[in-house]
Amino acid sequence: MMETDRIVLFGHGIKGRPSAERWSSREWKELVCLFLEDQSGCGNMAYLLEHHLDEAISGMEALKDRLRLSSICALLSKNYENYAERFHVKGIETKLADTTKETQKEVFREGVLVHHGETMLALHQYLTDENYVPHKIVTVTGDIMEPGIYEIPFGITLKEIITKYGKGVKAGRTVKFISAGGGMGAVYGADELDTPFTYYSLLKDGTMLESAKIEVFSNDTCIVGWTSERMRLNSRKTCGTCVYCREGIYQLFRILQDATEGKGREGDISVMKEICDTLKAGTLCDMGRTAAVPLSTALKKFGEEFEKHIDRKICQSLRCISYVNFYIDPAVCNGCGECMTCPEHAIRGRENLIHIIDTDLCSKCGKCSKACSSNAVKRYGTVKPVLPSEPSEVGSFSAESNGMKKGLGRRRRT
């Protein structure tokens, strides 16, 4: 076991525990490696199977020899059934897993050592390359130039991941925050991009990297609406056993949804913090304990934005429909008429005239925004821009003249 003890390797699954520590903790009989589809749909496992399956199998065989295990098995998602033959050729048994409960029943038995397939890939690389630098397969996505799946070395900063692998943020945008760890991952603000990409650094904020996904969000993203959607999706993942998990996550979603619709109430932020703490302390599994991590970390870093939604009914990013109105920018409108398909007939104008939205009739469905190829349909919040009161010739409107046509202002009386 001395050689095994010297292997400096972390499990690539949920908690990043030192693998050698697990290997020496008891006498293991079997090895089961998980090749399961990521619940966030980021495609990391498909990437591993396509590019590194032989190396992962080599790692499994090496660990079997070193720990003197009686058997090894690969647990595959049903979508990866076509890879089973590759395992069988090497004499490795495979089983298919359809649900989380089935997976737990098949895997977590006494004497069974469970590892993520990516850990076996890392073990192979460690044993065959004396200069091996630990990597992790990560999906990098969001408002960046080149989203994709990358093999990222541990230790670089979140900022380096964005610039080196994602090739920077899309033109005209800046980073507002990133989410590391998929649907249960923590939120990091723009001032935290020097955070190292390591298990230890991310675990401090509650990110366990079960889902190795880094999402970049620009300054036009509403953090309240974003966390509302996260809680909605996480509420669907609960098994329902824990009351705290089953009810708590859904209540967080409802409170956040109200905040985006102008229905927020005094004390909502305190209630959300209390529910987040309760989930962390009172639920039975890692899913429940981390389900509110996106919200709890967002509240710490963007608390003022939550307060504005609830107390002042303001959405600075102009994403929450209840807090905005649509208008047609007279400086951009080309009078094409594409927006005239409005189902509420709230748009006035005709060809070659600047179009106008009647806010009293507008239902804020956003169809005009999608139809406009010139991006003339925009939003405003508390401050209404200067707009023409009637449809006028394209190019004739000047905000400085309060809507009068250029060169046609009233004469001064004498």
Side-chain angles (χ1 to χ4, degrees):
M1 289 292 293
M2 288 303 295
E3 181 187 351
T4 306
D5 289 342
R6 289 198 299 269
I7 295 177
V8 182
L9 191 71
F10 287 82
H12 283 64
I14 296 177
K15 294 183 178 178
R17 180 183 176 188
S19 296
E21 184 180 308
R22 291 187 62 199
W23 298 338
S24 60
S25 64
R26 69 185 72 177
E27 185 176 340
W28 301 102
K29 299 177 182 177
E30 304 173 46
L31 170 65
V32 173
C33 283
L34 308 181
F35 294 86
L36 303 179
E37 192 170 25
D38 192 286
Q39 290 186 354
S40 67
C42 59
N44 294 350
M45 184 53 68
Y47 177 93
L48 186 152
L49 290 168
E50 182 179 350
H51 295 89
H52 297 294
L53 179 54
D54 290 338
E55 292 98 320
I57 290 175
S58 175
M60 294 170 68
E61 294 172 334
L63 189 60
K64 178 187 176 183
D65 293 340
R66 282 166 171 75
L67 299 185
R68 299 183 178 89
L69 302 174
S70 60
S71 64
I72 53 178
C73 174
L75 193 66
L76 300 172
S77 295
K78 193 171 182 180
N79 290 346
Y80 303 143
E81 186 176 5
N82 57 315
Y83 288 96
E85 183 60 30
R86 297 270 295 276
F87 287 98
H88 293 160
V89 169
K90 298 288 187 176
I92 297 176
E93 179 188 6
T94 61
K95 293 182 180 179
L96 298 181
D98 292 324
T99 66
T100 301
K101 288 184 178 180
E102 179 184 340
T103 301
Q104 293 174 348
K105 183 178 178 181
E106 288 285 338
V107 170
F108 297 102
R109 295 178 282 115
E110 184 66 29
V112 177
L113 174 62
V114 181
H115 268 305
H116 192 280
E118 193 174 353
T119 306
M120 296 298 97
L121 166 62
L123 177 59
H124 166 80
Q125 293 171 330
Y126 183 93
L127 295 173
T128 57
D129 182 0
E130 61 181 14
N131 298 316
Y132 170 65
V133 176
H135 282 64
K136 185 159 184 64
I137 299 172
V138 181
T139 293
V140 185
T141 185
D143 295 324
I144 54 176
M145 296 300 293
E146 293 188 13
I149 300 176
Y150 302 98
E151 298 179 42
I152 295 177
F154 283 106
I156 70 173
T157 65
L158 298 176
K159 183 176 182 180
E160 288 176 305
I161 292 175
I162 295 172
T163 55
K164 182 178 179 179
Y165 295 93
K167 305 304 179 185
V169 186
K170 291 180 179 178
R173 301 186 182 184
T174 58
V175 176
K176 180 174 181 177
F177 67 94
I178 74 166
S179 168
M184 318 278 179
V187 167
Y188 295 86
D191 59 341
E192 298 177 292
L193 297 184
D194 289 330
T195 301
F197 180 68
T198 64
Y199 280 113
Y200 176 74
S201 297
L202 300 182
L203 275 170
K204 287 192 299 183
D205 292 304
T207 293
M208 297 195 300
L209 281 186
E210 179 181 10
S211 173
K213 188 175 187 179
I214 291 179
E215 300 167 90
V216 182
F217 297 92
S218 61
N219 52 327
D220 62 351
T221 304
C222 174
I223 190 69
V224 182
W226 180 83
T227 52
S228 174
E229 179 63 13
R230 280 291 157 99
M231 292 305 101
R232 184 185 71 83
L233 294 175
N234 288 351
S235 70
R236 295 180 174 182
K237 297 177 182 178
T238 176
C239 69
T241 301
C242 306
V243 176
Y244 289 149
C245 184
R246 183 180 69 242
E247 299 297 330
I249 304 173
Y250 181 71
Q251 288 304 315
L252 289 175
F253 159 64
R254 289 302 302 271
I255 294 171
L256 290 164
Q257 185 182 46
D258 284 348
T260 64
E261 295 177 354
K263 303 173 185 176
R265 295 177 290 183
E266 184 179 354
D268 278 353
I269 292 180
S270 297
V271 171
M272 287 192 290
K273 289 180 178 178
E274 183 177 352
I275 295 176
C276 289
D277 292 341
T278 302
L279 285 168
K280 186 176 181 180
T283 50
L284 299 176
C285 71
D286 284 333
M287 185 273 166
R289 284 189 285 270
T290 59
V293 166
L295 174 58
S296 61
T297 52
L299 282 169
K300 292 177 183 177
K301 293 150 190 176
F302 296 94
E304 185 179 351
E305 192 167 337
F306 285 88
E307 291 173 0
K308 286 183 177 180
H309 274 72
I310 294 170
D311 299 333
R312 299 173 57 188
K313 306 297 185 284
I314 294 174
C315 177
Q316 289 180 314
S317 59
L318 301 180
R319 291 293 165 186
C320 297
I321 295 298
S322 297
Y323 303 142
V324 301
N325 284 300
F326 287 85
Y327 75 98
I328 296 175
D329 189 340
V332 180
C333 179
N334 58 14
C336 66
E338 292 175 341
C339 60
M340 294 295 289
T341 56
C342 172
E344 305 297 334
H345 305 289
I347 299 177
R348 292 183 292 145
R350 59 179 185 271
E351 189 176 357
N352 294 324
L353 293 183
I354 296 171
H355 292 60
I356 297 173
I357 296 177
D358 187 335
T359 55
D360 292 332
L361 297 177
C362 178
S363 64
K364 303 180 183 179
C365 66
K367 291 182 179 179
C368 56
S369 179
K370 296 177 182 178
C372 182
S373 58
S374 59
N375 296 319
V377 180
K378 299 179 181 179
R379 304 179 183 189
Y380 69 88
T382 55
V383 180
K384 183 178 180 179
V386 178
L387 301 171
S389 57
E390 295 293 334
S392 54
E393 186 179 348
V394 170
S396 67
F397 179 79
S398 171
E400 289 75 15
S401 62
N402 294 323
M404 300 297 293
K405 291 186 178 183
K406 295 177 183 179
L408 297 178
R410 291 182 179 179
R411 284 187 184 179
R412 187 176 180 182
R413 283 191 179 180
T414 57

